Amino acid sequence: MPITIYGIKNCDTMKKARTWLDSHGVGYDFHDYKTAGIAKDKLMQWSDELGWETLLNRAGTTFRKLPDSDKEGLNERKALALMLAQPSMIKRPVLDLGGKLLVGFKPDIYAKEVASKGKRKA
């Protein structure tokens, strides 16, 4: 199963993750939330696996600019609706290794989890 990295093209963390994958010869597909959105079923699957709290990017500008009424009383249903409406509220990147998901970019975790799965065939 191919590796897919989900995020936003111009995000600095995404750029670091994609550079890491490229420099380590890891093949992947890129899914841009800004242009392609995210399917509700996919987001719900991630939430079931990781928890909505892990996926929601509370530190980002989009979340911080929300009215307090949208931030209060957050639960899974409300958080998923916010992320579907504004995918930039999903933490980046989400890396789907085909059976395992990684959220965020940490080179040491990528080295451990990714390198063996995604080597390009020579």
Side-chain angles (χ1 to χ4, degrees):
M1 210 169 155
I3 292 174
T4 303
I5 188 168
Y6 294 83
I8 295 169
K9 186 177 184 177
N10 293 326
C11 167
D12 288 340
T13 305
M14 285 295 302
K15 289 177 185 176
K16 289 175 191 172
R18 293 176 73 192
T19 297
W20 190 97
L21 293 169
D22 291 341
S23 69
H24 287 81
V26 178
Y28 61 91
D29 293 323
F30 172 55
H31 180 100
D32 190 335
Y33 298 138
K34 287 275 193 204
T35 58
I38 186 73
K40 183 178 182 180
D41 290 348
K42 175 73 70 184
L43 192 59
M44 290 176 72
Q45 174 191 348
W46 292 351
S47 181
D48 288 345
E49 187 172 331
L50 302 166
W52 65 268
E53 299 93 339
T54 299
L55 292 171
L56 184 62
N57 182 8
R58 295 173 192 251
T61 306
T62 306
F63 184 82
R64 289 195 316 263
K65 286 183 177 179
L66 285 175
D68 288 340
S69 60
D70 285 348
K71 294 186 230 179
E72 291 168 7
L74 272 178
N75 57 27
E76 182 178 27
R77 185 185 56 75
K78 192 171 181 179
L80 291 176
L82 288 170
M83 289 185 274
L84 284 169
Q86 298 187 60
S88 58
M89 279 195 254
I90 304 170
K91 279 188 188 166
R92 302 178 292 271
V94 175
L95 191 68
D96 185 343
L97 298 174
K100 182 166 189 163
L101 296 172
L102 302 177
V103 178
F105 173 65
K106 292 192 169 60
D108 55 328
I109 293 174
Y110 270 42
K112 179 182 173 204
E113 299 290 342
V114 178
S116 63
K117 293 191 187 293
K119 289 287 183 191
R120 291 188 182 122
K121 304 252 191 289

